[in-house]
Amino acid sequence: MRVAVMYAPGDVRVEERPDPKILAPTDAILRLPASCICGSDLWPYRGADPIDEPTPMGHEYAGMVEEVGSAVTTIKPGQFVIGTFFASDNTCEICEAGYQTSCIHREPGAPGGAQAERLRVPLADGTLVATPDVPDDDLLPSFLAASDVLGTGWFGAVAAEAGPGKTVAIVGDGAVGLLAVLAAKQLGAERIIAMSRHEPRQQLAREYGATDIVEERGDDGVAKIKDLTNGLGVHSVVEAVGTQEAMTQAIGSTRPGGHVGYVGVSHGVELSGDGLFFSHLHLHGGPAPVRRFLPQLVDLIWNRQIDPSKVFDLELPLEQAAAGYQAMDQRRAIKVLLRP
Ligand SMILES: [Zn+2]
């Protein structure tokens, strides 16, 4: 099968690798009618994460079940399923509490790379959620979005306690940030402030429910948020970047007693104990337990109540994955869909 492999920063190649096989009796093999590139794939692409060996890429997936191991009971060949970047048993105490990304049996959800034609998924019964029937092709991008960026944005909004009567600010205008806007809207937030300086992304943020746009960053961004909120700061902030600047901006924009949901993969962020002590904030985040939200998200997409697929603004053949990485790295594309 064909799979996108990262050899070094800036060096992605599509090459032939053996088709995946059932290795454990709890595995499933999926055929992937499409795949996609995640903003977090840009960390190694830009050299911010080490690449020790040529690494198959991609951790977002939705596809047809072709084969299951002997111990798989609920997932069946012929089903269309969605999974997430960590496999989980969905039965341990941590999973039952809704933190499947810290499952005591967790392992990578797409060990062979999901920017590929086929994928082995471990712990299939716990990890995968089936749609009611095989979906129309036009829903495929939305289900792929649910696999990570929608689920992650949703968790960010939930962790930030976005809801009725709340003013929510979103730091980050990548796919996760934009879908956190959609999530905040769905959760009933009264006012949603998207922080973005890119016109096409501002427009999509507005489509998804943003009521205000703030272009300023850093201290200026914080000052602008305070201007918009009677000097108090917002109730809720979703931090969807992972840098020091974004986290500082998120914390500075939140009012005392407010909530920060941080879902940008943290890179070198350091927080001051004093600053936290006197901020009176709730901080909650981490690798989003997308599995917790998947049944609800699958339902919303199946019934066409939300359309997260708008974050895909470039579609390429899998063979041209390298061009897709380039487009996202240069911010010419928000998110790239790849078709085999
Ligand atoms: Zn578990």
Side-chain angles (χ1 to χ4, degrees):
M1 66 166 186
R2 306 297 287 172
V3 55
V5 177
M6 194 175 291
Y7 276 76
D11 182 3
V12 174
R13 308 174 199 176
V14 176
E15 62 183 34
E16 195 67 22
R17 295 232 170 170
D19 276 346
K21 291 192 172 64
I22 299 280
L23 300 181
T26 45
D27 287 348
I29 304 293
L30 311 187
R31 181 177 60 78
L32 307 176
S35 58
C36 55
I37 304 174
C38 185
S40 62
D41 294 329
L42 295 179
W43 291 111
Y45 188 81
R46 290 171 172 164
D49 287 342
I51 303 161
D52 300 324
E53 54 182 348
T55 307
M57 296 300 293
H59 54 264
E60 303 158 282
Y61 55 95
M64 298 294 300
V65 180
E66 286 196 327
E67 193 187 347
V68 296
S70 57
V72 175
T73 58
T74 60
I75 296 298
K76 310 221 178 302
Q79 283 180 323
F80 185 89
V81 295
I82 298 103
T84 72
F85 48 89
F86 278 132
S88 53
D89 57 21
N90 211 30
T91 54
C92 75
E93 281 189 45
I94 306 299
C95 283
E96 290 204 326
Y99 290 86
Q100 289 89 342
T101 31
S102 281
C103 174
I104 60 167
H105 295 121
R106 99 172 169 188
E107 52 184 302
Q115 288 158 13
E117 293 174 289
R118 284 187 168 71
L119 178 69
R120 178 181 70 88
V121 179
L123 303 174
D125 280 333
T127 306
L128 298 170
V129 172
T131 54
D133 205 336
V134 176
D136 291 337
D137 189 61
D138 71 311
L139 285 179
L140 183 60
S142 288
F143 286 124
L144 266 176
S147 172
D148 180 357
V149 284
L150 173 61
T152 295
W154 198 279
F155 172 61
V158 167
E161 304 223 333
K166 298 284 186 72
T167 297
V168 183
I170 317 288
V171 179
D173 63 0
V176 171
L178 292 166
L179 291 170
V181 172
L182 179 153
K185 174 77 176 172
Q186 286 286 316
L187 293 165
E190 184 173 309
R191 192 173 180 196
I192 302 169
I193 306 171
M195 307 192 80
S196 170
R197 47 177 62 170
H198 297 85
E199 207 279 324
R201 295 174 189 228
Q202 294 174 357
Q203 198 182 319
L204 186 50
R206 286 197 189 277
E207 268 181 63
Y208 278 154
T211 52
D212 301 79
I213 303 286
V214 166
E215 295 200 340
E216 290 83 354
R217 285 189 187 170
D219 291 345
D220 293 343
V222 170
K224 192 67 193 284
I225 296 278
K226 295 225 163 136
D227 279 353
L228 292 171
T229 52
N230 298 322
L232 298 176
V234 294
H235 304 93
S236 306
V237 177
V238 180
E239 188 285 311
V241 183
T243 61
Q244 182 73 49
E245 184 192 30
M247 194 63 168
T248 303
Q249 191 170 310
I251 288 171
S253 302
T254 311
R255 68 176 59 186
H259 294 76
V260 176
Y262 57 99
V263 291
V265 182
S266 185
H267 279 74
V269 176
E270 291 187 11
L271 302 178
S272 126
D274 279 4
L276 280 183
F277 184 76
F278 287 102
S279 71
H280 263 150
L281 294 189
H282 304 75
L283 297 181
H284 184 33
V290 176
R291 179 64 182 82
R292 187 205 307 179
F293 307 102
L294 261 188
Q296 181 189 2
L297 300 178
V298 165
D299 192 56
L300 286 169
I301 292 166
W302 183 262
N303 292 306
R304 298 182 185 270
Q305 289 169 281
I306 58 172
D307 181 6
S309 73
K310 292 177 187 174
V311 295
F312 289 104
D313 54 353
L314 179 61
E315 185 175 326
L316 293 170
L318 175 61
E319 288 300 314
Q320 292 175 33
Y325 276 83
Q326 238 170 34
M328 282 180 63
D329 178 44
Q330 297 167 358
R331 290 180 72 85
R332 284 184 284 111
I334 299 171
K335 192 166 179 66
V336 175
L337 189 78
L338 300 170
R339 294 212 188 240

